[in-house]
């Protein structure tokens, strides 16, 4: 639930009150278990990597046909769940938080490594293209309320 909030509203756009309301965890318990909102964010990002990003990358890595591998990357990272929290963490927190930067680098490297069997030396460029397209899609309002 916390990961969804952070992926939807970003770290700065998600308050502790939002986290308490959405998770049903009392403020004191949240601080006792995670230490801070940042601690919960790091835990959510780690969970996101382990349960969404790495499995998506592992599936892409099995594809040796370049077109299939790229299509799977686009599906998983461009319009799927694998990139949301990762990309927000990359632009919002990584420049100021070395732990977040390390987790983001791990997620980006996972996609790069997954594309390497099918695309070789072009994998870094394609990774930037796939993730950049996802950032671009996030920047476009989808409903009139988002303007």
């Amino acid at each position: 639930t916390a990961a969804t909030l952070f992926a939807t509203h970003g770290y700065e756009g998600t308050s502790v009150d939002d986290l308490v309301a959405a998770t049903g965890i009392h403020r004191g318990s949240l601080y006792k278990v995670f230490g801070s909102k940042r601690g919960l964010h790091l835990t959510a990002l780690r969970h996101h990597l382990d349960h969404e990003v790495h499995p998506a990358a592992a599936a892409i890595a099995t594809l040796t046909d370049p077109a299939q591998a790229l299509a799977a990357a686009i599906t998983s990272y461009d319009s799927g769940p694998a990139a949301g929290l990762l990309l927000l963490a990359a632009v919002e927190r990584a420049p100021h938080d070395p732990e977040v930067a390390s987790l983001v680098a791990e997620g980006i490297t996972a996609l790069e490594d997954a594309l390497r069997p099918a695309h070789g030396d072009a994998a870094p460029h394609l990774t930037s293209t796939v993730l950049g397209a996802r950032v671009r899609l996030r920047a476009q309002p989808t409903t009139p309320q988002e303007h």
Side-chain angles (χ1 to χ4, degrees):
T1 302
T4 301
L5 283 174
F6 288 130
T8 304
H9 304 289
Y11 179 84
E12 295 299 331
T14 303
S15 70
V16 172
D17 288 338
D18 295 333
L19 292 164
V20 167
T23 64
I25 298 171
H26 295 292
R27 182 181 296 270
S29 297
L30 186 144
Y31 284 108
K32 185 176 182 177
V33 173
F34 299 104
S36 63
K37 179 175 115 171
R38 179 182 174 273
L40 178 54
H41 182 256
L42 289 169
T43 300
L45 186 54
R46 166 54 43 205
H47 185 270
H48 179 63
L49 287 168
D50 292 345
H51 296 280
E52 293 182 39
V53 173
H54 288 300
I60 294 164
T62 66
L63 303 170
T64 56
D65 177 80
Q68 288 179 344
L70 187 58
I74 290 167
T75 299
S76 297
Y77 282 79
D78 215 25
S79 60
L85 182 55
L86 178 72
L87 291 176
L88 278 176
V91 298
E92 185 179 30
R93 300 292 305 154
H96 314 288
D97 188 325
E99 286 181 83
V100 172
S102 177
L103 292 170
V104 167
E106 178 185 326
I108 292 170
T109 298
L111 178 56
E112 211 170 271
D113 291 346
L115 287 170
R116 201 170 307 285
H119 291 280
D121 291 340
H125 174 72
L126 291 173
T127 297
S128 295
T129 300
V130 168
L131 296 178
R134 179 67 174 134
V135 168
R136 190 173 180 182
L137 285 173
R138 287 221 36 146
Q140 297 175 356
T142 56
T143 65
Q145 293 93 358
E146 293 179 40
H147 288 279

